[in-house]
Amino acid sequence: MFQIDSEKHKVVIDPTKRHEFVILFDVTNGNPNGDPDAENLPRIDPQTMTGLVTDVALKRKVRDYAAQIQGKNIFIQSKTALNTLIEKAFNDVGVKPASITLIEQEQADEALIAYLNALGEAGFAYDCGQLTYNGDDVKPSTIKKLIQTQLEDEGNEEISEELSKKLEDIAKRLADAAKDKKGIKPEDREKARKKMINDYYDIKMFGAVLSTGLNAGQVRGPVQLTFAKSIDPVLLIDPTITRQARTTEDRMKTGSTEMGRKPLIPYGLYRAHGFYNPFLAKHSDTKEVFVSENDLSALWESLANLFEFDHSASRQEMAVQGLWVFTHDTDKGNAHAHKLFKLIDIKPVGEGKMVPRSFTDYESKLTMPDSGKLDSSGFTGVTLTRLV
């Protein structure tokens, strides 16, 4: 398993400098990224038949590695609702918004719940029986007016008198709950935002929208990835498989086995590009850099070992075959990224020649500069480091 050497690789772990990177990985007899719009067949560009892996899928691998292997807290996960984590951040910085719990009959009223769910832009959040107001003005008249404005926007003729009375009662209860509250000020939202950047590795690196419940704004992360695209066209195969297990007694009556499918490609070599922007690694107000050397080191380690702990029945053999990092001497950079990417030249096998079935089929096609400063290549102030 690859690990960053902080002394040997010191140039690539500087969070105050601009970095671009190229990652090369392959898949053998597997499905690198299923397409739900095509019955989970491997994703492809239908014009060229080249394989695709989304940036979201690649980020998921980084998140999983960071959480499972590096022990980091991750925001985008499946164990806890995101709004619960945002609310926790506000509570941690000492901000508790006005909130009420709806009675059982109210929670069962579909028209009422639909209306409350539409109040998001007005500063209200409804989840699991709890209605929260996260505005900065907690005057009872303001809260009632906001709900009344929504009523007017919906059109009074479409709102029943019964629903109108329920909303009036809810507005009064929420206003009462807000009497001893101070409201959420812009500085409170910034505190919660910074708290989440510090607490969650994926927010720090990739950014996130933090306004789905309580509004903590959003974070534009310094790290972004492109779709990965295969060097050559890939062949989609959807073989039929059998399993010797039945799920119900009724199915047992028809036989001991049943059919299934397992979509895959025999082989594909994929390439993706990535970017690290140091200007997005700073807090907007203080300009303090919140990405550390350890954070950047963890990113390179996770990319280098992207599939080492991700093996599954559909992804049995996936491996990172190359990871190159271009580091600039300054935060603004010394060269255009697209020109640097051209230095890593992976040639396709070529029409009429052998069909690629392993990475060694590309061995003679790989041309790239050695690691080190690229002054002699016309890119003064840029250093290339090959990590894999």
Side-chain angles (χ1 to χ4, degrees), residues 266-278:
Y267 183 78
L269 179 63
Y270 290 75
R271 172 178 177 153
H273 296 162
F275 311 85
Y276 173 82
N277 180 349

Side-chain angles (χ1 to χ4, degrees), residues 64-324:
D64 290 346
Y65 186 91
Q68 298 168 8
I69 311 304
Q70 297 171 331
K72 297 183 181 297
N73 292 327
I74 297 299
F75 178 64
I76 304 296
Q77 39 72 40
S78 58
K79 292 182 180 179
T80 308
L82 302 186
N83 287 354
T84 301
L85 299 179
I86 296 174
E87 184 176 352
K88 179 180 182 302
F90 275 96
N91 291 336
D92 289 345
V93 299
V95 179
K96 294 188 177 182
S99 179
I100 61 169
T101 300
L102 270 59
I103 61 176
E104 189 174 339
Q105 294 93 322
E106 291 171 333
Q107 293 184 37
D109 188 327
E110 294 183 3
L112 175 64
I113 299 306
Y115 185 89
L116 295 178
N117 281 327
L119 289 172
E121 291 187 6
F124 299 88
Y126 176 77
D127 185 34
C128 202
Q130 201 81 6
L131 180 64
T132 302
Y133 172 65
N134 58 52
D136 58 353
D137 187 346
V138 293
K139 294 177 183 176
S141 58
T142 300
I143 294 175
K144 290 180 180 179
K145 184 178 179 181
L146 286 171
I147 291 182
Q148 185 63 38
T149 300
Q150 181 70 16
L151 276 170
E152 294 170 355
D153 291 344
E154 291 290 334
N156 287 324
E157 71 278 4
E158 298 179 6
I159 302 295
S160 67
E161 184 177 348
E162 181 184 4
L163 176 58
S164 182
K165 288 181 179 179
K166 289 180 180 179
L167 290 168
E168 183 69 25
D169 180 58
I170 286 173
K172 183 179 182 304
R173 284 152 51 197
L174 193 56
D176 290 340
K179 282 181 179 178
D180 57 349
K181 304 289 183 181
K182 296 181 180 179
I184 303 178
K185 306 300 180 185
E187 53 268 28
D188 296 326
R189 300 186 196 282
E190 184 62 23
K191 287 179 184 177
R193 178 178 173 275
K194 288 183 177 179
K195 173 71 174 171
M196 299 197 74
I197 289 174
N198 290 331
D199 285 355
Y200 301 104
Y201 181 73
D202 56 338
I203 293 180
K204 180 182 294 186
M205 303 306 284
F206 300 139
V209 175
L210 305 178
S211 57
T212 53
L214 295 179
N215 185 3
Q218 69 178 48
V219 180
R220 278 190 67 194
V223 178
Q224 292 301 328
L225 288 156
T226 67
F227 272 41
K229 183 178 179 180
S230 67
I231 307 302
D232 282 289
V234 295
L235 174 65
L236 301 185
I237 298 178
D238 192 19
T240 301
I241 58 174
T242 60
R243 73 172 182 178
Q244 198 165 355
R246 309 311 298 269
T247 54
T248 66
E249 291 298 329
D250 283 341
R251 288 188 174 186
M252 286 292 292
K253 297 174 183 178
T254 64
S256 60
T257 61
E258 61 184 7
M259 300 298 181
R261 309 198 74 83
K262 188 172 184 178
L264 56 84
I265 60 173
Y267 183 78
L269 179 63
Y270 290 75
R271 172 178 177 153
H273 296 162
F275 311 85
Y276 173 82
N277 180 349
F279 293 99
L280 295 179
K282 300 177 182 180
H283 291 298
S284 56
D285 53 353
T286 63
K287 303 304 179 184
E288 175 189 1
V289 178
F290 56 72
V291 174
S292 68
E293 289 188 356
N294 286 337
D295 293 327
L296 208 46
S297 176
L299 174 70
W300 305 134
E301 181 186 319
S302 63
L303 288 171
N305 300 301
L306 207 56
F307 309 106
E308 292 299 307
F309 300 91
D310 187 59
H311 301 294
S312 69
S314 62
R315 298 185 302 277
Q316 296 168 343
E317 291 185 86
M318 291 187 70
V320 175
Q321 298 290 0
L323 176 59
W324 297 266

